[in-house]
């Protein structure tokens, strides 16, 4: 097979001291942390839309990405060649999962039939490469935001005909995901939201969205697709207000429409920031509801207010994420999908490797640090101790729903003014810094 990434061989683990830029410093796929290989903890995935289709254009200028394998046409030959380049990339970087939108992999046709036929042909190509490269599909999804027909939304469009088009597209995208053995399927409400309430019947649109998701669940059952269904929260962009604003909003929507048993969440770091939250907050909200399904691993730029989809390189962020993942006992069907793009100036094919190495090493290190923090135990102990007063008879009776306002009043009268304890926030940050800044242990082999 011809090489698309000439001069790049398989990226190996070189260790923290290694000076080869095209090597992992921390990600040692088979190295064990808490008795489990890193690859199993992290379940990395690369995304097709940024890795293969993002030309690195911005609102002020054309794309800069050099993609020698791509002739720029919408032909099926070009689409198949791209798949070849993608799988060569995956095997060289050592990522064994991926995610895609239907329209990233296969071009739209003149009619619904032609579009579906194109998708089927490329799915066959993906299927072949998955087998020969031993790669799995983490999740598939439908692009319901690019085509002009979705200008006013897809499942929340004021036009019932647009809703029907979206239904057909999702049906086929679920079929494609099922055929490729996908471990999950994502619903990101690209344009499900509004630009102005002056022309929007919000309650009606939300009912339509719930009806749409219910049909997808029914379809999943009908065809026997056993992968997970995820909702991906995002507060704004492209619309002024996106209905799936944040984790709490999504959970509320799912509960209201009795869909919580069928869905979990795919949480993205940059979307959390746009909602005014930390990724840690969003992960805690999702995990508390037993609904932390998967993660889109990226980050925003602190000086930019947009969804910049930077590669995740901040060790505090990756440590925070991996603490939650370890605490929930690891992913079931989900993983860490690099929904991240290179900067416009990083236009050479080799930058795809540098970008993913940076993200994978940052997460590997975050995993090691998180495991050390857990082993050390002080942080968990301090958290536990902070609530020690609740472990007594009174606290237990309140938590069991047995207390009343009257019984608590007599307790308050007897106990007098409560003794308060410091929250020790700065001490806790210093403690985390001891691990993030220190020489965190290596994985065991
Ligand atoms: C957009 C975004 C999407 C979803 C999949 O901000 O994150 O790429 O992850 O549709
Ligand atoms: Co995403």
């Amino acid at each position: 097979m011809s090489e698309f990434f000439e001069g790049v061989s398989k990226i190996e683990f070189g260790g923290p001291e290694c000076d080869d830029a095209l090597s992992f410093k921390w990600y040692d796929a088979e190295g064990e942390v808490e008795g489990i290989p890193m690859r199993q903890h992290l379940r990395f995935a690369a995304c097709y839309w940024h890795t293969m289709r993002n030309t690195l254009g911005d609102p002020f200028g054309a794309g800069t990405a050099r993609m020698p394998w791509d002739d720029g046409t919408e032909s099926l030959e070009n689409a198949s060649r791209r798949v070849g380049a993608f799988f060569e990339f995956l095997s060289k970087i050592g990522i064994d999962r991926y995610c895609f939108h239907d329209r990233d992999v296969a071009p739209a046709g003149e009619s619904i039939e032609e579009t579906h036929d194109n998708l089927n042909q490329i799915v066959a190509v993906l299927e072949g490469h998955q087998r020969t490269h031993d790669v799995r599909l983490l999740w598939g999804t439908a692009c319901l935001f690019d085509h002009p027909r979705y200008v006013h939304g897809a499942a929340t469009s004021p036009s019932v005909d647009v809703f029907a088009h979206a239904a057909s597209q999702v049906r086929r995208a679920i079929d494609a995901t099922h055929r490729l053995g996908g471990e999950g399927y994502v619903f990101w409400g690209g344009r499900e939201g509004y630009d102005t309430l002056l022309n929007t019947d919000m309650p009606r649109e939300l009912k339509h969205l719930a009806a749409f998701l219910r049909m997808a669940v029914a379809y999943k059952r009908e065809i026997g697709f056993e992968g997970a269904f995820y909702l991906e929260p995002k507060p704004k962009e492209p619309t002024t207000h996106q209905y799936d604003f944040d984790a709490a909003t999504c959970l509320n929507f799912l509960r209201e429409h009795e869909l919580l048993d069928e869905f979990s969440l795919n949480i993205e770091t940059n979307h959390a920031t746009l909602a005014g939250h930390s990724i840690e907050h969003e992960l805690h909200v999702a995990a508390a509801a037993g609904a932390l399904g998967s993660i889109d691993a990226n980050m925003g730029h602190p000086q930019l207010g947009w969804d910049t989809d930077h590669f995740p390189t901040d060790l505090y962020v990756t440590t925070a994420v991996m603490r939650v993942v370890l605490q929930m006992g690891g992913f079931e069907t989900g993983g860490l999908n690099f929904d991240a793009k290179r900067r416009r100036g990083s236009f050479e094919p080799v930058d795809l490797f540098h970008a993913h190495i940076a993200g994978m090493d940052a997460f590997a290190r975050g995993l090691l640090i998180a495991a050390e923090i857990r082993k050390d135990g002080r942080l968990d102990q301090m958290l536990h101790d902070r609530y020690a007063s609740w472990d007594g008879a009174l606290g237990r009776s309140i938590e069991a729903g047995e207390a009343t306002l009257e019984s608590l009043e007599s307790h308050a009268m007897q106990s007098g003014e409560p003794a308060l304890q410091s929250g020790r926030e700065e001490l806790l940050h210093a403690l985390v810094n001891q691990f993030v800044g220190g020489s965190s242990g290596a994985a065991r082999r």
Side-chain angles (χ1 to χ4, degrees):
M1 191 189 76
S2 73
E3 287 220 331
F4 297 99
F5 295 93
E6 274 174 31
V8 181
S9 39
K10 177 136 181 36
I11 309 299
E12 305 285 357
F13 173 64
E17 308 301 329
C18 178
D19 57 10
D20 177 3
L22 288 174
S23 72
F24 294 118
K25 312 299 174 295
W26 301 93
Y27 180 59
D28 179 10
E30 303 308 330
E32 293 189 356
V33 176
E34 296 192 1
I36 295 171
M38 275 192 166
R39 78 158 71 239
Q40 220 168 298
H41 278 289
L42 298 164
R43 292 170 58 94
F44 288 130
C47 77
Y48 207 87
W49 54 99
H50 284 316
T51 308
M52 282 295 119
R53 304 310 309 274
N54 198 322
T55 61
L56 307 182
D58 71 15
F60 297 93
T64 55
R66 292 183 193 156
M67 301 186 280
W69 52 83
D70 196 319
D71 65 16
T73 67
E74 287 296 314
S75 72
L76 284 170
E77 292 75 28
N78 195 29
S80 312
R81 198 167 44 245
R82 242 188 241 125
V83 174
F86 184 57
F87 278 80
E88 182 184 318
F89 171 74
L90 291 178
S91 69
K92 286 186 168 173
I93 192 78
I95 291 183
D96 50 16
R97 286 183 170 77
Y98 73 106
C99 302
F100 72 97
H101 298 89
D102 48 1
R103 286 299 85 77
D104 307 332
V105 291
E110 293 294 317
S111 63
I112 289 185
E113 290 81 358
E114 200 190 327
T115 301
H116 294 156
D117 189 50
N118 289 350
L119 182 60
N120 279 338
Q121 291 195 45
I122 299 300
V123 164
V125 179
L126 288 163
E127 212 172 15
H129 280 280
Q130 277 188 209
R131 213 173 302 121
T132 51
H133 290 84
D134 199 16
V135 160
R136 298 191 70 176
L137 178 62
L138 185 69
W139 49 261
T141 186
C143 175
L144 298 174
F145 44 91
D146 183 52
H147 194 283
R149 89 167 61 89
Y150 298 123
V151 59
H152 299 309
T156 62
S157 171
S159 156
V160 72
D161 296 329
V162 170
F163 185 98
H165 264 269
S168 151
Q169 202 181 318
V170 164
R171 173 191 176 191
R172 303 301 176 147
I174 295 174
D175 282 344
T177 303
H178 184 37
R179 184 168 154 196
L180 292 169
E183 293 164 284
Y185 182 91
V186 159
F187 293 81
W188 173 58
R191 291 186 187 274
E192 315 296 18
Y194 61 78
D195 284 319
T196 171
L197 283 171
L198 292 173
N199 66 13
T200 304
D201 184 341
M202 183 160 55
R204 197 165 186 188
E205 291 197 358
L206 285 167
K207 262 187 215 142
H208 296 165
L209 180 57
F212 192 90
L213 296 181
R214 260 195 297 277
M215 283 188 266
V217 170
Y219 188 65
K220 171 188 183 178
R221 297 254 159 70
E222 192 185 317
I223 63 170
F225 174 56
E226 289 184 352
F229 267 4
Y230 308 117
L231 273 196
E232 181 174 326
K234 182 171 183 178
K236 56 191 171 192
E237 203 205 72
T239 68
T240 308
H241 174 88
Q242 304 265 140
Y243 289 137
D244 296 329
F245 191 91
D246 61 2
T249 312
C250 285
L251 291 171
N252 181 55
F253 172 84
L254 291 170
R255 270 196 204 101
E256 180 182 345
H257 296 283
E258 294 177 7
L259 285 163
L260 194 50
D261 289 346
E262 308 291 347
F263 285 81
S264 58
L265 304 183
N266 180 42
I267 304 287
E268 178 165 325
T269 320
N270 207 160
H271 296 178
T273 342
L274 289 180
H277 301 310
S278 63
I279 174 75
E280 209 173 350
H281 169 92
E282 288 292 81
L283 295 177
H284 276 265
V285 170
L292 173 50
S294 200
I295 293 175
D296 270 7
N298 62 14
M299 65 182 199
H301 192 283
Q303 278 112 50
L304 298 171
W306 296 109
D307 193 18
T308 61
D309 286 347
H310 278 64
F311 271 85
T313 51
D314 184 324
L315 296 182
Y316 288 98
V317 169
T318 59
T319 299
V321 170
M322 292 317 297
R323 282 190 70 209
V324 180
V325 172
L326 287 178
Q327 202 178 335
M328 76 166 184
F331 293 112
E332 271 176 43
T333 51
L336 295 170
N337 169 43
F338 288 114
D339 189 353
K341 65 182 180 207
R342 295 166 288 160
R343 295 310 90 191
R344 190 163 179 260
S346 309
F347 45 72
E348 292 182 22
V350 71
D351 287 310
L352 280 173
F353 287 92
H354 292 311
H356 283 82
I357 289 172
M360 292 162 80
D361 267 341
F363 264 99
R365 210 165 161 194
L367 168 63
L368 289 166
I369 296 166
E372 285 224 327
I373 291 175
R374 273 157 66 85
K375 193 169 147 213
D376 173 83
R378 276 177 290 167
L379 217 59
D380 288 335
Q381 189 63 49
M382 285 176 78
L383 178 68
H384 179 263
D385 290 350
R386 192 158 184 245
Y387 295 88
S389 72
W390 285 85
D391 295 336
L394 181 67
R396 278 204 304 274
S397 77
I398 298 171
E399 288 182 349
E402 289 157 3
T404 63
L405 292 184
E406 294 93 319
S407 71
L408 290 175
E409 184 178 62
S410 43
H411 173 84
M413 283 171 167
Q414 278 163 28
S415 59
E417 194 53 36
L420 295 179
Q421 287 177 355
S422 163
R424 300 264 189 268
E425 185 170 335
E426 296 77 9
L427 168 62
L428 291 165
H429 282 300
L431 188 50
V432 171
N433 277 352
Q434 263 186 287
F435 295 97
V436 176
S439 58
S440 53
R444 229 167 259 128
R445 292 207 76 146

